[in-house]
């Protein structure tokens, strides 16, 4: 075997299919988000505005979060020094889990290295806890849920995206006595559309299924205390397991599930992805807890309102120019380009000529023909930044002779 040739061939395939990913090196400037410095491959630098970040509320630079992290760092040092099982459970982990359980109105919560690991580890472990479990999974679920559903080798059914009638059909076909779980998201991040939480909970009740909701793109941002869309819609108590991240709106790092005390105890006891890995650094847990706590309060409500306002302003201004916005009423603003070459070109020109950083979203992240630029406005994007973005998009859209058409949503 010529190993080097195989490596090169695998990379060449990605280049040939236009799927090779290039990363943009940025250094965010604390206190000046969304401003950052971009270092080009040749080492030269440029001031840019980040328009595709997931630090949706700017909590990554919030004084309360940074103070909590400094305090824990100074009190206890850098790493946790162990897995949760062997010396790595600290007062900071316990406090964070209590904060999260309270957030979702559940008896318990369990913190993982990331929401990716939380999804993968929990979903695959549920098959151990409930032998014969059938998992019903939305077709557009995140890669981390797909992995978790796939591993463990149990039965799975994929229902068409947000298609409750299709889900009902699939549920009705299976043995009424079989254990079942429906896995879905509250906000799908590429189109920015909501999942039908109430309707799915109704079906779960009717068919005796458990519900598993990924609220990664909603926690911190929706609901009176920032617990997500299920909280906003009064459905939170109907969900058996809620998954969230501490790395997006909470601005720090880590992921979790919230559920009943028994279920959390079982996942804690069986999930290899929880057991056999070092726990979060205490400073990270402390920062995340401070962020969750802050966003539960009035300050959080103010940020959530500002966030929604920014999204509405950006959407209406882009729409006013006839740009094809995909608008489902969430904070995510995807602009449909529909072609990978143009999508990459627009992104390159925005960055180089206008200092605006938005990553092109191409296949396989989204289906071919639906390539897009996905903007994530936040309360830290001022009117000046929105103005510059809108004017740059207007100019580039004309420059590339792209259609000013109806939105595809
Ligand atoms: C980003 C994302 C995750 C993973 O969250 P991390 O904490 O970054 O690992 C899980 N689910 C969805 C829907 C996501 O977009």
């Amino acid at each position: 075997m010529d190993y080097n040739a195989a490596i090169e061939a695998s990379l060449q395939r990605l280049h040939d299919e236009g799927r090779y990913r290039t990363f943009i090196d940025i250094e965010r400037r604390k206190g000046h988000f969304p401003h950052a410095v971009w270092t080009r491959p040749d080492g030269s630098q440029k001031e840019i505005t980040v328009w595709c970040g997931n630090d949706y509320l700017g909590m990554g630079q919030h004084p309360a979060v940074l103070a909590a992290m400094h305090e824990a760092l100074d009190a206890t040092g850098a790493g946790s020094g162990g897995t949760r099982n062997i010396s790595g459970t600290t007062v900071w982990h316990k406090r964070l889990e209590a904060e999260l359980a309270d957030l979702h109105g559940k008896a318990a919560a369990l913190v993982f290295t990331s929401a990716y690991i939380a999804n993968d580890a929990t979903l695959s472990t549920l098959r151990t806890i409930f032998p014969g479990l059938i998992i019903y999974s939305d077709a557009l679920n995140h890669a981390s849920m797909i992995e978790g559903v796939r591993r463990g080798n149990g039965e799975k059914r994929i229902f068409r995206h947000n298609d409750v009638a299709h889900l009902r059909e699939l549920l009705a076909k299976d043995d009424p006595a079989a254990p079942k779980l429906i896995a879905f998201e509250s906000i799908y991040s590429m189109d920015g559309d909501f999942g039908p939480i109430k309707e799915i909970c109704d079906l779960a009740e009717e068919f005796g299924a458990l519900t598993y909701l990924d609220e990664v793109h909603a926690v911190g941002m929706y609901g009176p205390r920032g617990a997500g869309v299920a909280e906003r819609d009064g459905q939170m108590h109907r969900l058996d397991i809620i998954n969230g991240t501490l790395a997006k709106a909470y601005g720090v790092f880590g992921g979790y599930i919230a559920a009943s005390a028994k279920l959390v105890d079982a996942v804690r006891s069986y999930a290899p992805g929880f057991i056999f890995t070092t726990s979060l650094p205490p400073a990270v847990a402390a920062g995340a807890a401070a962020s969750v706590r802050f966003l539960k309060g009035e300050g959080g409500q103010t940020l959530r309102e500002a966030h929604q306002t920014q999204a509405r302003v950006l959407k209406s201004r882009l729409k006013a120019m006839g740009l094809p916005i995909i608008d489902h009423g969430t904070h995510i603003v995807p602009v449909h380009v529909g072609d990978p070459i143009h999508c990459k070109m627009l992104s390159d020109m925005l960055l180089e000529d206008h200092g605006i950083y938005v990553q092109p979203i191409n296949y396989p992240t989204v289906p071919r023909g639906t390539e897009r630029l996905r903007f994530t406005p936040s309360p830290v994007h001022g009117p000046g930044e929105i103005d510059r973005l809108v004017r740059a998009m207007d100019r580039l859209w004309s420059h590339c002779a792209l259609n000013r058409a109806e939105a595809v949503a």
Side-chain angles (χ1 to χ4, degrees), residues 258-295:
S260 72
K262 281 222 164 70
L263 189 52
V264 163
D265 194 20
V267 173
R268 180 190 72 86
S269 307
Y270 277 107
F274 174 80
I275 298 169
F276 297 103
T277 189
T278 301
S279 61
L280 288 186
V284 169
S291 188
V292 173
R293 204 175 311 125
F294 177 85
L295 288 181

Side-chain angles (χ1 to χ4, degrees), residues 39 66 106 125 132 151 172 201 211 219 237 252 256 285 337 344 364:
T39 303
L66 301 185
K106 303 292 178 200
T125 298
R151 287 190 323 107
C201 287
T211 47
V219 286
H237 62 288
V252 188
Y256 65 90
V337 180
K344 174 81 166 70

Side-chain angles (χ1 to χ4, degrees), residues 21 23 39-40 83 90 126 132 167 181 205 208 263 265 299 318 322 359 363:
R21 294 174 197 261
F23 298 160
T39 303
R40 295 188 185 84
T83 62
T90 71
L126 290 175
L167 173 58
L181 176 124
E205 228 165 74
L263 189 52
D265 194 20
L318 292 171
Q359 193 70 27
Y363 177 83

Side-chain angles (χ1 to χ4, degrees), residues 363-378:
Y363 177 83
T365 306
V366 295
R368 290 186 213 274
T370 73
E371 292 80 3
R372 66 199 65 180
L373 297 173
R374 177 180 167 278
F375 298 99
T376 52
S378 78

Side-chain angles (χ1 to χ4, degrees), residues 8-167:
E8 270 164 32
S10 75
L11 290 170
Q12 193 55 47
R13 272 199 303 279
L14 295 175
H15 282 292
D16 292 347
E17 293 166 15
R19 290 172 49 187
Y20 183 77
R21 294 174 197 261
T22 44
F23 298 160
I24 304 288
D25 295 356
I26 65 167
E27 182 186 349
R28 297 201 298 163
R29 288 284 149 95
K30 184 195 75 170
H32 301 283
F33 290 3
H35 295 285
V37 175
W38 166 42
T39 303
R40 295 188 185 84
D42 68 6
S44 66
Q45 295 190 319
K46 184 179 172 74
E47 289 274 342
I48 59 161
T49 305
V50 179
W51 270 103
C52 55
N54 284 334
D55 185 352
Y56 290 117
L57 301 175
M59 292 305 287
Q61 64 183 0
H62 196 280
V65 173
L66 301 185
M69 294 186 76
H70 281 296
E71 196 185 307
L73 187 64
D74 291 340
T76 198
S80 75
T83 62
R84 285 294 292 270
N85 186 38
I86 307 177
S87 88
T89 295
T90 71
V91 57
W92 288 277
H93 298 90
K94 298 306 288 179
R95 270 186 216 140
L96 174 56
E97 286 174 345
E99 202 69 69
L100 292 166
D102 168 76
L103 175 68
H104 292 291
K106 303 292 178 200
L110 197 64
V111 169
F112 295 76
T113 309
S114 70
Y116 185 105
I117 302 288
N119 272 335
D120 181 27
T122 305
L123 285 167
S124 54
T125 298
L126 290 175
R127 296 202 185 282
T128 311
I129 301 170
F130 306 108
L133 181 70
I134 307 173
I135 301 183
Y136 302 78
S137 179
D138 186 285
L140 291 192
N141 274 345
H142 189 259
S144 54
M145 279 199 273
I146 295 174
E147 272 306 299
V149 171
R150 213 171 49 81
R151 287 190 323 107
N153 286 324
E155 293 286 324
K156 64 166 192 281
R157 317 271 182 259
I158 311 298
F159 60 95
R160 287 188 295 271
H161 176 53
N162 278 356
D163 189 336
V164 185
H166 188 214
L167 173 58

Side-chain angles (χ1 to χ4, degrees), residues 206-274:
E206 187 182 335
F207 288 90
L210 296 171
T211 47
Y212 185 104
L213 180 63
D214 175 319
E215 289 254 34
V216 163
H217 285 279
V219 286
M221 294 172 277
Y222 292 81
R225 294 207 308 156
V229 182
E231 183 195 25
R232 185 197 70 177
D233 295 351
Q235 300 295 311
M236 199 156 64
H237 62 288
R238 304 181 73 195
L239 291 145
D240 295 293
I241 305 169
I242 294 174
N243 163 282
T245 186
L246 303 165
K248 289 172 183 170
Y250 290 121
V252 188
F253 190 71
Y256 65 90
I257 58 163
S260 72
K262 281 222 164 70
L263 189 52
V264 163
D265 194 20
V267 173
R268 180 190 72 86
S269 307
Y270 277 107
F274 174 80

